[in-house]
């Protein structure tokens, strides 16, 4: 009995093994199956048959004539008398349809990629977190398309990749493309750099470098470099960071005229003034109560201004204007600086700082903009230098008309300026004058660049041909009129088109390209700070400051995919 059970068991096992072999065996498609209306599904790993009439795909197990015939006779009895040519025609139509759908799918993928880049760029411009693409923008886009078009179009929107990592990669691609193109352009033209460094909310030292260059008869300004300085921010480290771009020319820095060599007493007053402003401005309740008090007292203004580098004069002037309102508002507060608002010596220093910072800010504003060059800067700096000499002389004579806020404060209260304060003011003005003298001087021999009529004899550095060309320019009424109508850099840049004046034009542009200030860096730091807040302090905001060529990037990606 035991022997019989083993034989039965062995027999069953053999049957199972044979059945498994038959089940796992893959059938092959035969071209003769077309007479039943079937073609291959094109899948070598899982061969099957596709009906050329209804496009239904049958599995590998159905690749036998009986099953194919059963499908045809059951589902398409009206075609049972058709010959092979009919099915060949259906097959040709099916293949064309597959090719067309393949092109559509490819086109949709390319469009989705371009859309992804464009949305990523908009996210960068809006200075939003990169997660907003998938969490907000895509759902909203799908709802809009669903309502305005149809569900099928909404499904296409779903194919646009907008994940956090994808948006980050897209922005880095855009930045890399811009950097590549910019460096290529700089290989063929003269350029000048403007740079500055600052510390962001995460405590990282950030270096911004902007470049101005002459390309295709147009003067362009672009961001060249935004890098973290790994250690300290010395000149050597900064130089090492941009050692491939060492043409550094910049004559006016925001800090140089504002707080350089300021005396300890004036610096202390400045710091305390900022603390008083922040005590009100950073407390919403205090700001509201202060506004109500100003309205009750009939004040012209009802709010203080936040302290910034380039509006420091206005900030201090507003603080001085509202000193009585501030004193009344802080009367019942245990704020350690409340008594400063009734201190004559402290207020005298605030009034002076408001006056001098306002004057210096006015000069700085005149040096902002693309058309400001070293010659404009030289004029403004020379004017400021002469004014400082006059102010020093006036303060020495105790004539304070040049400092209107301080002068009015003293006259209204019948006070005379304290000798210690007068000494501090005179020392500060002398320090500013000393700083001005260190700024680079512009050679007067180059004055012909902004006035072609000014040169009356050939400079040593001029060739005979260049000087004769300059005489022709100065004698041409139409060119002189054009010179009066446009900026110098536009005039000389347009002359680059003329082979006759190309040498003079290139000489002029090299003098006009350098930046006169750091206004682009200041704007860049403002944008950078807006993107990298305390809530996004791990963000690498560097690639977000860009102007992309999205079409070019998509075309390059298409070529790369095609090569693979």
């Amino acid at each position: 009995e035991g022997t019989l059970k083993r034989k039965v068991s062995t027999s069953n096992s053999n049957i199972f093994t044979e059945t498994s072999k038959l089940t796992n065996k893959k059938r092959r498609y035969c071209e003769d199956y077309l007479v039943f209306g079937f073609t291959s599904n094109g899948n070598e790993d899982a061969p099957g048959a596709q009906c050329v009439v209804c496009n239904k795909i049958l599995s590998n197990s159905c690749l036998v004539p009986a099953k194919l015939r059963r499908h045809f006779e059951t589902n398409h009895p009206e075609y049972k008398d058709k010959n092979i040519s009919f099915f060949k025609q259906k097959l040709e139509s099916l293949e064309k349809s597959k090719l067309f759908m393949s092109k559509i799918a490819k086109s949709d993928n390319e469009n989705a990629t371009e859309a992804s880049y464009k949305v990523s760029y908009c996210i960068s411009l809006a200075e939003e977190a990169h997660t907003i693409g998938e969490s907000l923008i895509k759902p909203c886009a799908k709802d809009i398309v669903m309502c305005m078009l149809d569900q099928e179009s909404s499904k296409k929107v779903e194919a646009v990749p907008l994940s956090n990592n994808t948006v980050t990669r897209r922005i880095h691609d855009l930045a890399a493309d811009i950097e590549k193109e910019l460096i290529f352009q700089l290989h063929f033209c003269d350029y000048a750099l403007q740079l500055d460094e600052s510390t962001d909310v995460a405590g990282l030292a950030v270096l911004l470098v902007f470049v101005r260059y002459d390309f295709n008869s147009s003067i362009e300004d672009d961001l060249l470099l935004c890098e973290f300085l790994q250690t300290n921010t010395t000149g050597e480290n900064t130089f090492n960071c941009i050692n491939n771009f060492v043409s550094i020319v910049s004559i006016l820095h925001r800090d140089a005229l504002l707080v350089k060599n300021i005396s300890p007493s004036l610096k202390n007053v400045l710091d305390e003034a900022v603390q008083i402003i922040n005590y009100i401005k950073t407390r919403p309740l205090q700001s509201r109560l202060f506004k109500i008090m100003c309205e009750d007292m009939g004040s012209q203004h009802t709010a203080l201004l936040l302290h910034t580098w380039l509006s420091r004069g206005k900030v201090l002037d507003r603080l001085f204007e509202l000193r009585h309102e501030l004193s009344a508002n802080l009367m019942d507060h245990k704020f350690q600086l409340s008594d400063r608002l009734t201190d004559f010596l402290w207020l005298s220093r605030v009034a002076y700082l408001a006056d001098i910072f306002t004057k210096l800010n006015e000069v700085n504003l005149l040096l902002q903009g693309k058309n400001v060059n070293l010659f404009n800067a030289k004029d403004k700096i020379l004017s400021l230098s002469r004014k400082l000499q006059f102010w020093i002389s006036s303060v020495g004579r105790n004539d304070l008309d040049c400092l209107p806020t301080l002068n009015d404060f003293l006259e209204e209260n019948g006070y005379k300026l304290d000798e210690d304060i007068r000494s501090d003011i005179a020392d500060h003005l002398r320090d500013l004058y000393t700083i001005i003298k260190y700024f680079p001087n512009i050679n007067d021999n180059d004055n012909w660049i902004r006035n072609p009529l000014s040169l009356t004899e050939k400079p040593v550095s001029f060739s005979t041909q260049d000087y004769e060309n300059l005489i022709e320019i100065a004698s041409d009424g139409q060119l002189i009129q054009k010179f009066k109508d446009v900026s110098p850099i536009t005039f000389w840049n347009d002359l680059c088109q003329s082979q006759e004046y190309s040498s003079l034009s290139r000489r002029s542009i090299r003098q006009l390209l350098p930046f006169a200030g750091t206004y682009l860096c200041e704007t860049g730091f403002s944008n950078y700070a807006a993107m990298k807040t305390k809530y996004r302090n791990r963000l690498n905001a560097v690639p977000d400051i860009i102007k992309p060529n999205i079409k070019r990037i998509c075309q390059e990606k298409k070529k790369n995919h095609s090569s693979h």
Side-chain angles (χ1 to χ4, degrees), residues 201-237:
V201 69
L204 298 173
V206 182
L207 174 68
L208 286 185
V209 181
F210 283 86
V211 62
R212 174 175 292 168
Y213 58 101
D214 174 25
F215 186 75
N216 286 343
S217 301
S218 177
I219 303 301
E220 303 290 343
D221 289 345
D222 274 308
L223 176 67
L224 178 64
L225 184 67
C226 182
E227 284 289 343
F228 298 127
L229 296 174
Q230 300 300 324
T231 55
N232 52 35
T233 58
T234 62
E236 181 180 359
N237 285 340

Side-chain angles (χ1 to χ4, degrees), residues 113 117 170 173 553-561:
T113 300
Y117 274 104
R170 298 285 189 249
D173 287 345
I553 297 174
C554 290
Q555 289 172 358
E556 289 183 358
K557 280 194 169 293
K558 181 180 177 181
K559 290 178 182 178
N560 292 336
H561 290 162

Side-chain angles (χ1 to χ4, degrees), residues 3 93 107 218 522 544:
T3 304
S93 298
S107 177
S218 177
E522 290 159 6
D544 288 12

Side-chain angles (χ1 to χ4, degrees), residues 226-284:
C226 182
E227 284 289 343
F228 298 127
L229 296 174
Q230 300 300 324
T231 55
N232 52 35
T233 58
T234 62
E236 181 180 359
N237 285 340
T238 301
F239 177 83
N240 290 335
C241 190
I242 56 169
N243 60 354
N244 293 325
F245 314 96
V246 294
S247 220
I248 304 172
V249 182
S250 180
I251 73 165
L252 186 67
H253 189 281
R254 63 185 180 187
D255 296 339
L257 293 181
L258 295 180
V259 294
K260 185 71 173 180
N261 293 339
I262 192 170
S263 67
S265 57
L266 289 176
K267 181 65 167 60
N268 185 58
V269 168
L270 179 60
D271 292 341
E272 290 179 343
V274 172
Q275 290 180 49
I276 292 173
I277 294 170
N278 289 342
Y279 182 80
I280 300 295
K281 295 294 292 182
T282 59
R283 292 169 171 79

Side-chain angles (χ1 to χ4, degrees), residues 348-412:
S348 297
R349 289 185 168 91
V350 171
Y352 163 71
L353 290 174
D355 283 328
I356 193 63
F357 285 142
T358 298
K359 292 178 182 292
L360 296 177
N361 287 341
E362 289 172 356
V363 175
N364 193 52
L365 288 174
L366 293 174
L367 295 173
Q368 309 296 321
K370 185 174 182 177
N371 291 324
V372 177
N373 54 57
L374 292 180
F375 296 99
N376 305 134
K378 176 189 175 183
D379 293 342
K380 300 305 177 186
I381 295 301
L382 178 61
S383 171
L384 179 59
S385 176
R386 291 175 177 174
K387 287 179 181 179
L388 283 168
Q389 287 180 303
F390 168 66
W391 298 338
I392 293 169
S393 174
S394 297
V395 171
R397 299 192 310 270
N398 213 23
D399 179 5
L400 303 178
D401 283 345
C402 58
L403 303 170
T405 305
L406 176 59
N407 190 55
D408 291 346
F409 174 62
L410 295 175
E411 289 185 354
E412 287 174 6

Side-chain angles (χ1 to χ4, degrees), residues 41-303:
N41 67 346
N43 190 336
E44 294 182 0
D45 295 331
Q50 183 175 14
C51 178
V52 297
V53 178
C54 66
N55 298 336
K56 183 175 181 180
I57 296 177
L58 302 185
S59 65
N60 182 261
S61 63
C62 295
L63 280 178
V64 291
K67 293 184 178 180
L68 299 179
R69 184 185 294 109
R70 183 165 60 247
H71 169 87
F72 183 75
E73 293 177 350
T74 303
N75 296 282
H76 313 295
E78 67 274 21
Y79 299 126
K80 64 179 181 178
D81 296 328
K82 298 294 184 179
N83 57 25
I84 190 68
S85 60
F86 170 79
F87 297 113
K88 286 182 178 180
Q89 186 178 357
K90 285 289 186 181
L91 175 61
E92 185 178 350
S93 298
L94 177 62
E95 289 176 346
K96 287 182 179 179
S97 176
K98 287 182 178 180
L99 180 61
F100 177 72
M101 293 303 296
S102 174
K103 290 181 178 179
I104 291 178
K106 186 175 181 181
S107 177
D108 284 346
N109 288 337
E110 292 170 357
N111 292 338
T113 300
E114 182 177 349
S116 177
Y117 274 104
K118 288 186 175 181
V119 173
S120 298
Y121 178 52
C122 291
I123 291 173
S124 175
L125 288 181
E127 302 167 4
E128 293 290 345
H130 297 172
T131 54
I132 197 175
E134 198 166 47
S135 64
L136 179 62
I137 296 177
K138 184 187 284 189
C140 290
K142 288 173 60 180
D143 289 342
I144 293 172
V145 172
M146 176 75 79
C147 294
M148 302 298 294
L149 299 175
D150 51 43
Q151 186 174 2
E152 190 63 29
S153 299
S154 180
K155 290 180 180 179
K156 291 184 178 181
V157 175
E158 178 64 35
V160 179
L162 289 176
S163 68
N164 177 41
N165 292 338
T166 299
V167 171
T168 301
R169 287 197 306 271
R170 298 285 189 249
I171 292 175
H172 278 274
D173 287 345
L174 297 169
D177 176 78
I178 292 300
E179 181 181 17
K180 178 182 177 181
E181 178 65 20
L182 181 56
I183 292 175
F184 172 78
Q185 293 178 4
L186 294 179
H187 282 168
F188 303 97
C189 61
D190 296 322
Y191 60 87
L193 301 183
Q194 174 189 127
L195 60 96
D196 199 0
E197 59 82 21
S198 184
T199 303
D200 66 16
V201 69
L204 298 173
V206 182
L207 174 68
L208 286 185
V209 181
F210 283 86
V211 62
R212 174 175 292 168
Y213 58 101
D214 174 25
F215 186 75
N216 286 343
S217 301
S218 177
I219 303 301
E220 303 290 343
D221 289 345
D222 274 308
L223 176 67
L224 178 64
L225 184 67
C226 182
E227 284 289 343
F228 298 127
L229 296 174
Q230 300 300 324
T231 55
N232 52 35
T233 58
T234 62
E236 181 180 359
N237 285 340
T238 301
F239 177 83
N240 290 335
C241 190
I242 56 169
N243 60 354
N244 293 325
F245 314 96
V246 294
S247 220
I248 304 172
V249 182
S250 180
I251 73 165
L252 186 67
H253 189 281
R254 63 185 180 187
D255 296 339
L257 293 181
L258 295 180
V259 294
K260 185 71 173 180
N261 293 339
I262 192 170
S263 67
S265 57
L266 289 176
K267 181 65 167 60
N268 185 58
V269 168
L270 179 60
D271 292 341
E272 290 179 343
V274 172
Q275 290 180 49
I276 292 173
I277 294 170
N278 289 342
Y279 182 80
I280 300 295
K281 295 294 292 182
T282 59
R283 292 169 171 79
L285 176 59
Q286 292 299 327
S287 295
R288 293 194 297 271
L289 294 176
F290 181 65
K291 179 181 180 180
I292 294 172
M293 177 166 287
C294 290
E295 291 173 347
D296 290 343
M297 297 178 68
S299 307
Q300 180 181 358
H301 298 103
T302 60

